[in-house]
Amino acid sequence: MESVTGDRESLAFQSQSVVVGAGPAPLFTTQLNVSNSSCSASSSTIEPPKDKLLGGLFSPAFDEASCLSRYQSALFRKSSNHTPSSYLVEKLRSYEVLHKKCGPNTELYNKTIEQLKSNHSMGPMECNYVVWIPSDGLGNRIISITSAFLYALLNNKVLLLYLPEDMGDLFCEPFPETTWVLPSDFPIRNIKWVYSFEKDPNRYGDLLKRKVLRNDMNSRNISGPLPAYLYLHLIHTSDDFDKMFYCKEGQLLLQKFPWLLLRSNQYFAPALFLIPEFEKELSLLFPERTTVFHHLGRYLFHPSNTVWGYITRYYEAYLADAKERLGMQIRTFGQVDLDSHSSYIINCALTGKLLPNIDLKDPVLPTISGVKPKAVLVTSLSSGYFERLRDMYYEHATTTGEVIGVYQPSHEEQQHTEKLSHNMKAFAEIYLLSLSDALITSRFSTFGYVAQGLGGLRPWILVRPNNKNVCLHSVTMEPCFHFPPSHDCNSRRKVAIGSVASYLRHCEDFPNGIKLFY
């Protein structure tokens, strides 16, 4: 995950009153108020808001001041080409009613908590729950929350989040007149030490392995009470028994439990399309399969007022007047040579015609007077990529006469997911990237997945598909499920999961993963 604090010095290079390049800009300050001007979206390239509810995706039942981003975001985005289905809109309103009825501290919630304290279960109750437990960085958390919400939606369960302190003021509440935050007095106390859950006695996969549970259990062959809850271990290290979650028989068993504790760092939504019981419902919810994260991500994740202040101040100061915005999300895993990798990224932008070439022979080519600059927003843990791109357009004229402004909000050198301030600024950068007109992303990076999904953007991925092409323009905006199940549920044999359905393929940036296609 890229983020975000760093240099507080700002470099403003100006030519004919047009910004040529800028350094890490000090917008991420300790100021917490949200300016009234933050919703002006002064750029002439921004369309006037046509529908602040995004086709019914958002409920109108919120106090706008409590979450400015929910309804103001339409001022900063171009209209989406993807409209939520009427069935999805209806389903979301029904879910909001269910969540309000069953949410924390309601009578029905308290009743189910008493059952949980008894350490056994006799079956589903009027209110049934999925409790999400975090794992890894912010990008992983956002895509796994989205998957957990879709699972809850398909099963008429209520989603609650265990939010550690490092996620305390990131998001607004997504459901009116209730909360999705798990109360601090939740009786399963070791939830605070999430890594201990790998050996939880109620881990679903281990219970199957030890034959304490069987997926073919029904009311006639259950001889005694069930465990009070099941723990679903759906992170990248889950084994084949854990992955029985993705089978029809597993889902029939899981429906018997009022409490499911789910820990994941994966976008497992694509695998839900392979479960026969969900197939029809999913086709009604998402006639366009490649819009799952686009719609659910926009519905769930509204920046808190603090984070929205970061976003709007930066946007107005550096991006609002640009004629076009290009986002560059740069994440490296392991050691790379900065010079060669910078050249590779720049080459991707040039060959994709996302940026203009420079003229190395004539340093005094005239710029086009009065034309707004093109803005490049770089997010990276390192400042090196930004500096090379900034210097390139500062020291040389473009062959088109365009002026390029290059900006990086901050750089931290290392990821610090355990810090709330880091995560707040990281989410601000994700959101700023999602406001781009075009996006370059790094392979395997969930940070980029979230930005492309929120923005409805098909990214240029920093992957060489062949000898002719430097990088790859993705076919969809959907995230990749990196570690899907590898066994067929019926035959128990290993299969190429990306070929079992026409709408699933292996990911362009991670061939072992799968993603939703058209």
Side-chain angles (χ1 to χ4, degrees):
M1 181 193 70
E2 293 77 0
S3 195
V4 281
T5 59
D7 257 340
R8 294 308 190 214
E9 294 185 17
S10 178
L11 303 176
F13 300 97
Q14 300 203 353
S15 173
Q16 299 178 357
S17 300
V18 178
V19 174
V20 175
L27 190 71
F28 294 157
T29 67
T30 55
Q31 178 184 355
L32 299 184
N33 64 299
V34 180
S35 167
N36 288 333
S37 64
S38 69
C39 61
S40 64
S42 60
S43 172
S44 61
T45 63
I46 295 293
E47 299 175 358
K50 296 178 180 178
D51 177 13
K52 69 178 184 179
L53 301 181
L54 302 190
L57 196 64
F58 303 160
S59 167
F62 286 94
D63 168 33
E64 184 168 345
S66 67
C67 181
L68 295 170
S69 66
R70 192 188 320 273
Y71 302 133
Q72 289 181 5
S73 60
L75 293 162
F76 293 81
R77 293 195 185 281
K78 290 183 177 179
S79 298
S80 174
N81 294 323
H82 309 280
T83 303
S85 69
S86 58
Y87 191 84
L88 174 60
V89 170
E90 181 181 340
K91 188 77 171 181
L92 292 175
R93 297 295 88 80
S94 297
Y95 176 84
E96 289 162 4
V97 172
L98 174 68
H99 199 109
K100 182 180 178 181
K101 181 178 79 169
C102 299
N105 302 316
T106 61
E107 182 179 347
L108 289 171
Y109 171 84
N110 293 337
K111 181 179 179 181
T112 317
I113 285 291
E114 290 305 312
Q115 171 271 318
L116 183 61
K117 290 178 179 178
S118 72
N119 287 326
H120 68 270
S121 169
M122 297 307 296
M125 302 184 70
E126 185 173 352
C127 293
N128 303 283
Y129 300 86
V130 175
V131 177
W132 173 86
I133 303 171
S135 184
D136 295 309
L138 184 59
N140 296 84
R141 296 179 185 192
I142 290 175
I143 61 174
S144 63
I145 290 172
T146 305
S147 302
F149 176 68
L150 178 59
Y151 180 68
L153 204 63
L154 292 168
N155 287 278
N156 294 315
K157 295 180 183 290
V158 172
L159 175 67
L160 299 177
L161 309 184
Y162 169 64
L163 293 184
E165 291 183 3
D166 57 52
M167 294 183 73
D169 188 27
L170 284 181
F171 313 125
C172 300
E173 293 282 354
F175 315 125
E177 301 180 66
T178 184
T179 181
W180 65 345
V181 179
L182 187 72
S184 59
D185 61 354
F186 189 64
I188 301 177
R189 308 306 298 174
N190 63 337
I191 199 169
K192 295 180 180 179
W193 298 278
V194 295
Y195 291 100
S196 67
F197 265 93
E198 292 196 21
K199 298 181 179 179
D200 188 86
N202 289 347
R203 177 172 165 175
Y204 167 65
D206 285 352
L207 292 176
L208 290 179
K209 192 183 303 183
R210 303 197 323 261
K211 299 183 180 180
V212 176
L213 287 180
R214 299 194 316 275
N215 280 334
D216 64 352
M217 280 183 166
N218 56 48
S219 57
R220 292 190 300 274
N221 60 21
I222 296 176
S223 58
L226 295 167
Y229 67 90
L230 285 185
Y231 163 58
L232 305 174
H233 187 71
L234 300 182
I235 66 171
H236 62 285
T237 59
S238 59
D239 61 26
D240 289 336
F241 285 95
D242 294 310
K243 290 177 180 178
M244 290 298 291
F245 168 85
Y246 302 110
C247 293
K248 171 184 175 180
E249 294 81 3
Q251 287 304 315
L252 293 175
L253 175 64
L254 294 176
Q255 289 172 9
K256 306 179 189 302
F257 292 85
W259 289 97
L260 299 176
L261 277 56
L262 186 156
R263 179 174 168 231
S264 179
N265 56 6
Q266 299 288 298
Y267 182 67
F268 61 84
L272 299 180
F273 282 75
L274 295 174
I275 300 172
E277 281 68 24
F278 301 153
E279 190 173 357
K280 182 178 179 181
E281 184 79 355
L282 284 166
S283 68
L284 293 171
L285 291 169
F286 303 103
E288 285 186 274
R289 292 188 187 91
T290 56
T291 62
V292 174
F293 185 84
H294 180 59
H295 290 319
L296 294 186
R298 286 189 173 194
Y299 173 73
L300 291 171
F301 302 108
H302 305 283
S304 68
N305 283 356
T306 302
V307 178
W308 190 237
Y310 293 171
I311 294 165
T312 54
R313 286 191 296 273
Y314 197 91
Y315 185 92
E316 291 292 342
Y318 301 100
L319 305 175
D321 288 330
K323 67 172 184 177
E324 192 176 342
R325 285 162 288 273
L326 170 65
M328 284 189 175
Q329 179 267 326
I330 303 170
R331 176 68 192 269
T332 58
F333 299 91
Q335 295 294 320
V336 298
D337 181 76
L338 182 62
D339 288 329
S340 62
H341 197 53
S342 296
S343 298
Y344 169 59
I345 295 167
I346 292 170
N347 198 16
C348 172
L350 296 178
T351 56
K353 301 189 184 305
L354 303 175
L355 287 176
N357 244 311
I358 56 173
D359 193 299
L360 297 175
K361 297 178 181 179
D362 189 352
V364 291
L365 281 175
T367 58
I368 304 173
S369 179
V371 175
K372 293 183 175 182
K374 176 180 284 190
V376 183
L377 179 73
V378 178
T379 65
S380 174
L381 291 172
S382 167
S383 62
Y385 300 100
F386 153 77
E387 290 166 355
R388 280 157 176 74
L389 191 63
R390 178 202 62 193
D391 292 349
M392 169 179 160
Y393 285 110
Y394 175 55
E395 296 169 359
H396 303 282
T398 63
T399 56
T400 61
E402 295 174 279
V403 174
I404 308 299
V406 184
Y407 311 94
Q408 180 175 10
S410 53
H411 56 89
E412 223 173 55
E413 302 303 330
Q414 293 183 345
Q415 182 172 322
H416 291 286
T417 303
E418 75 284 357
K419 295 181 180 179
L420 174 60
S421 60
H422 173 97
N423 288 332
M424 292 172 75
K425 296 165 188 177
F427 188 41
E429 289 197 9
I430 288 174
Y431 209 91
L432 286 165
L433 285 171
S434 78
L435 300 178
S436 303
D437 298 294
L439 186 62
I440 294 175
T441 62
S442 300
R443 65 182 300 274
F444 201 71
S445 176
T446 57
F447 195 100
Y449 294 162
V450 177
Q452 72 196 42
L454 292 178
L457 302 166
R458 294 191 300 115
W460 292 82
I461 309 173
L462 294 172
V463 172
R464 287 185 181 270
N466 49 50
N467 292 332
K468 293 182 179 180
N469 297 292
V470 177
C471 52
L472 184 150
H473 197 190
S474 181
V475 178
T476 81
M477 56 189 165
E478 274 287 291
C480 175
F481 180 11
H482 288 153
F483 297 97
S486 58
H487 284 77
D488 177 75
C489 289
N490 296 319
S491 67
R492 301 291 188 264
R493 295 178 180 175
K494 284 203 170 188
V495 295
I497 198 72
S499 61
V500 299
S502 61
Y503 50 81
L504 284 180
R505 297 184 200 169
H506 291 289
C507 306
E508 302 110 324
D509 62 326
F510 190 68
N512 289 335
I514 58 171
K515 66 188 295 188
L516 292 165
F517 281 76
Y518 296 99

